Amino acid sequence: MASLNVGNLGEYLREQRRTAQLSLRQLADAAGVSNPYLSQIERGLRKPSAEVLQQVAKALRISAETLYVRAGILDERERDELETRAVILADPSINERQKQVLLQIYESFRKENGVDTHDDGPRTADSSDAETPSV
């Protein structure tokens, strides 16, 4: 796990909050954390948990994974993989089986390119029973 760079995280959060035109108090209320605690995070004095970062990200309408990377909780490559998976899984225009096929293809390309893959992504009961998926 990378070291926590809370100063960089705090500056980034402050920038995102200002871009969203939210006061510190408004963001704290929306994220369900105290105003002083959020202020300490922005000033680099506190190390927030992943749960707090997720709440803040939701309130700012930004990716929690981006905050995890800024905080050193998540590697940039892991974030990219998670976001790719999330986009596929969130697409309402394709069914669950098609989503699983896309994820299998994505993983096979990553393996082919020598990228360390994690096979712990969301799966459905029928996604593991096919050798070669058909769409």
Side-chain angles (χ1 to χ4, degrees), residues 1 32 80 85 127:
M1 182 162 76
D80 292 344
R85 288 175 165 275
S127 66

Side-chain angles (χ1 to χ4, degrees), residues 74-115:
L74 185 67
D75 182 83
E76 184 109 28
R77 290 175 302 193
E78 291 173 316
R79 179 198 66 181
D80 292 344
E81 179 184 352
L82 287 172
E83 287 180 347
T84 300
R85 288 175 165 275
V87 167
I88 291 169
L89 292 170
D91 189 335
S93 66
I94 57 177
N95 66 38
E96 289 304 311
R97 179 70 180 138
Q98 292 166 333
K99 290 175 185 181
Q100 293 306 317
V101 169
L102 278 175
L103 289 174
Q104 289 172 354
I105 292 168
Y106 174 66
E107 286 302 318
S108 71
F109 283 148
R110 289 175 54 84
K111 286 178 185 172
E112 183 178 309
N113 292 333
V115 177

